Amino acid sequence: MSTTICQVMGFLVSSLGVGGSIMATAMDTWSTQDLYDNPVTAVFQYQGLWRSCVRQSSGFTECRPYFTILGLPAMFQAVRALMIVGIVLGILGLLVCIFALKCIRIGSMEDTAKANMTLTSGIMFIVAGLCAITGVSVFANMLVTNFWMSTTNMYQGMQNVQNRYTFGSALFVGWVAGGLALVGGIMMCLACKGLIPEESRYKAVSYNASGRNISYRTGPYKGYEADPKTRKGVGYEEAPRSEDGRRPYPSKYDYV
């Protein structure tokens, strides 16, 4: 029962993580304009992975997608790639995990196959979580670097060079989603141990011959002679014996 609970909880937690990664990737608030020095402004800017938006004080919002790929920074494109890879691995892990659930029986699937599928989905969830956390962290590092560069330029008298951007809500969603996917993958890997069947122990089995037991005895000459009691059967006729117990002529059951 504990194995099933761990597997189901891992599936649910990983599902939340994958869903959060998709949501974070689609959000436009990866970076927002810093309003610390200018709290009252007519234009508020924020950016995402796919487009940049401008919101005016009147409530009108205009978003413009990035029409170029080669013109974007290399680190920015790396963040895109990490998030996409994490989402793809997470979705594949969910598909594999659905068929690996112990509470779902499909045909004559053995527990060993379910254990392997559970381990595979767990590894996928772990990698997906690491991709999400890494991508968000790289983007956050870019923001921190640009923020302090903009701050330095402001103190040098170049206030209108560029706006400062700070962390947006999408970064926190991505961190939480990556952590959930990572925890769910660990739970799936732990559930895999409980699904592996224990090694069967084989006991020694004694086999008896189907035929009648044959006893052997030694004689004054080399060879053997079967017990007369066990060799009587259909069509057997014992030759007459003399007074001293010997047959007058050899029988077909005498072996020399």
Side-chain angles (χ1 to χ4, degrees):
M1 182 62 68
S2 60
T3 302
T4 305
I5 294 176
C6 183
Q7 189 183 34
V8 173
M9 289 300 297
F11 172 74
L12 295 177
V13 173
S14 301
S15 301
L16 293 177
V18 175
S21 298
I22 297 174
M23 183 184 301
T25 305
M27 292 175 66
D28 297 327
T29 55
W30 279 69
S31 60
T32 58
Q33 185 178 355
D34 184 31
L35 302 178
Y36 178 75
D37 294 331
N38 189 14
V40 180
T41 180
V43 178
F44 178 73
Q45 300 179 6
Y46 54 94
Q47 298 176 353
L49 294 179
W50 312 104
R51 60 182 182 175
S52 60
C53 300
V54 176
R55 185 177 63 193
Q56 300 179 1
S57 58
S58 60
F60 179 75
T61 302
E62 181 181 1
C63 295
R64 181 180 180 183
Y66 303 126
F67 294 104
T68 179
I69 296 178
L70 300 178
L72 297 174
M75 298 300 294
F76 190 87
Q77 297 181 8
V79 172
R80 278 183 171 183
L82 286 173
M83 298 303 296
I84 293 175
V85 170
I87 292 173
V88 172
L89 289 177
I91 294 176
L92 292 178
L94 290 177
L95 294 177
V96 175
C97 185
I98 291 175
F99 295 101
L101 291 176
K102 191 176 181 180
C103 56
I104 298 177
R105 179 65 62 179
I106 301 176
S108 59
M109 184 179 296
E110 299 179 355
D111 292 338
T112 305
K114 283 185 173 291
N116 295 332
M117 295 175 66
T118 302
L119 180 61
T120 303
S121 61
I123 294 175
M124 287 183 177
F125 290 142
I126 291 175
V127 177
L130 292 177
C131 287
I133 294 175
T134 304
V136 175
S137 300
V138 170
F139 193 91
N141 182 56
M142 293 170 55
L143 286 180
V144 171
T145 304
N146 294 331
F147 182 86
W148 290 113
M149 290 179 62
S150 301
T151 303
T152 303
N153 295 332
M154 290 175 62
Y155 281 115
Q156 292 177 356
M158 297 179 294
Q159 298 183 3
N160 297 326
V161 173
Q162 58 182 358
N163 295 324
R164 294 190 307 179
Y165 291 90
T166 184
F167 293 170
S169 57
L171 296 181
F172 302 99
V173 175
W175 272 320
V176 174
L180 290 176
L182 184 62
V183 172
I186 294 175
M187 294 178 67
M188 295 297 292
C189 292
L190 293 177
C192 173
K193 295 183 179 180
L195 294 175
I196 299 177
E198 298 180 356
E199 297 180 0
S200 57
R201 300 177 180 178
Y202 298 95
K203 297 182 180 180
V205 180
S206 58
Y207 297 93
N208 296 326
S210 58
R212 297 181 178 181
N213 296 331
I214 300 176
S215 59
Y216 301 93
R217 64 180 181 180
T218 59
Y221 51 84
K222 296 181 181 180
Y224 66 91
E225 183 179 359
D227 190 359
K229 296 181 180 181
T230 60
R231 68 188 182 206
K232 291 182 179 180
V234 181
Y236 172 80
E237 294 181 0
E238 186 176 1
R241 298 176 178 269
S242 59
E243 295 180 357
D244 57 356
R246 297 182 179 180
R247 299 188 183 90
Y249 52 88
S251 173
K252 64 179 179 180
Y253 295 98
D254 293 335
Y255 300 92
V256 179

